[in-house]
Amino acid sequence: MPATDLPLLIEAALEAGKIATRYSGTQAQRWDKPDGAGPVTEADLAVNAMLEERLCSARPGYGWLSEESEDSPDRLNRSNTFIIDPIDGTRSFAEGARTWAHSIAVADDGVVTAAVIYLPMRDLLYTAAQGQGATLNGETITTSVTAELLQSEILAAKPNLDARHWRNAQAPEFERAYRPSLAYRMALVAQGRFDGMLTLRPSWEWDIAAGDLIIQEAGGICSDRTGQQLIFNNAHPRLNGVIAASTAIHQQLSALLDPAGPGIGT
C-alpha cells in the first residue's frame, strides 16, 4: 500500500527529526557496538524506540528490520517489512555535524514500495512511493542528464577506486566526491546533484532501502555491484555492494566493474 504507507513514513520521519535534534550531537551519550560494528548514541535508540512503537502500531502485520533492534526471523514470514536506519551517519551526528539522516522504507515481498530520507538539520525531506515519482520537499526530482562517465561526478569512498575492483585493473577517471551518510548520498543522486553513487563493500539493507526506491522513482537505476536487482528483507540483510546512478552512468559503471572482484565476505 505505497499510497497509504508514505504519509505514515513522512509523519514518523518528521517526529524522528524532532527527537534527534533535541540531543546535542557532541553531548549525546555514545558507545561502540561489539565486534567493530560502529558507534551508537542515545539519540539513535530514542529515535528507534519511537519509530518501532509508531510504525508497528499503525501496521501490526508488518515485519521490522532496524539497525538498532535485535533482528528476528519473524520478519521473513511477513509480506511487508519496515526497513529502518534511525540515524544514518551516526559518526557525523556524534561529531555535531549536519550530514546525517533518518532512512525509513517499506518493502513488499522484497521490493521497496514507500520510502523517506530526512535530514532535519538541512531541512531536506526526500520521499517516494512506487509508481508516483520522487520528491524533495514536495517538488519532483530527477536524476542527472550527464551522458559520459568521464564527465560525471560520483559519490564514492576512496577505496572504491582500488584497481582490484575494475576490469583491466584500471578505475575510470570520474570526479569523486563523498558524504558521510549513505542514504544522503543516494538521495543526492536522485536529486541530480551527483551523477552516481558507488559502494563496493557489503552494505546493510537499512542504509540502502529508502534510497533504492527514491532513485528509481527519480528515473535512475540501483543494483548490486554485479548489476543484479536489489532484493530486500533477506535472512542476512546485507547486499553485495550498490551501484546507483542515472541510466547512462549506471550502464557505464557496470560495464567497467570487474564482476569477479571482491564482494561480500572480503
Side-chain angles (χ1 to χ4, degrees):
M1 298 185 294
T4 54
D5 282 339
L6 184 57
L8 173 66
L9 301 192
I10 291 172
E11 292 175 3
L14 295 175
E15 182 61 26
K18 292 177 183 177
I19 292 172
T21 53
R22 292 181 193 142
Y23 294 84
S24 173
T26 56
Q27 299 301 315
Q29 294 183 28
R30 167 185 170 171
W31 55 96
D32 291 321
K33 300 178 189 178
D35 303 318
V40 64
T41 73
E42 57 185 332
D44 294 81
L45 301 185
V47 170
N48 189 66
M50 180 279 296
L51 290 174
E52 187 169 10
E53 192 282 328
R54 175 171 293 203
L55 295 176
C56 292
S57 294
R59 301 286 188 272
Y62 285 22
W64 179 261
L65 174 63
S66 169
E67 179 176 11
E68 306 305 345
S69 299
E70 184 176 354
D71 197 8
S72 166
D74 176 69
R75 64 180 172 82
L76 302 175
N77 300 317
R78 309 293 181 99
S79 294
N80 296 284
T81 298
F82 292 110
I83 303 178
I84 309 293
D85 193 341
I87 297 180
D88 183 44
T90 296
R91 285 187 177 86
S92 288
F93 176 85
E95 291 166 359
R98 300 165 60 231
T99 308
W100 48 271
H102 307 296
S103 180
I104 306 175
V106 172
D108 182 353
D109 289 330
V111 176
V112 180
T113 56
V116 173
I117 295 172
Y118 179 43
L119 284 81
M121 299 299 290
R122 293 181 177 267
D123 191 28
L124 298 173
L125 179 68
Y126 299 87
T127 70
Q130 191 176 52
Q132 298 182 20
T135 68
L136 168 57
N137 294 346
E139 300 293 328
T140 298
I141 55 175
T142 59
T143 53
S144 81
V145 297
T146 302
E148 297 296 332
L149 182 59
L150 294 180
Q151 298 171 355
S152 69
E153 190 170 11
I154 306 296
L155 289 158
K158 193 172 181 179
N160 292 288
L161 299 184
D162 191 294
R164 66 192 179 126
H165 295 298
W166 301 90
R167 294 183 188 272
N168 302 319
Q170 180 65 51
E173 295 181 356
F174 53 72
E175 184 174 350
R176 187 184 69 85
Y178 184 74
R179 297 292 186 276
S181 164
L182 191 48
Y184 185 35
R185 282 178 248 166
M186 298 185 77
L188 288 168
V189 173
Q191 186 185 348
R193 285 273 306 278
F194 293 88
D195 303 300
M197 188 285 298
L198 188 66
T199 180
L200 301 178
R201 64 187 297 178
S203 303
W204 292 107
E205 289 188 16
W206 46 72
D207 292 328
I208 303 298
D212 172 67
L213 180 65
I214 293 170
I215 287 174
Q216 292 193 68
E217 289 293 324
I221 299 177
C222 285
S223 72
D224 71 11
R225 59 171 291 146
T226 70
Q228 299 299 305
Q229 179 184 355
L230 299 180
I231 302 297
F232 295 89
N233 197 32
N234 298 289
H236 182 58
R238 288 188 108 171
L239 305 170
N240 188 11
V242 178
I243 311 169
S246 63
T247 301
I249 300 302
H250 186 281
Q251 183 179 28
Q252 293 169 65
L253 282 170
S254 296
L256 291 171
L257 279 164
D258 184 354
I264 282 182
T266 63

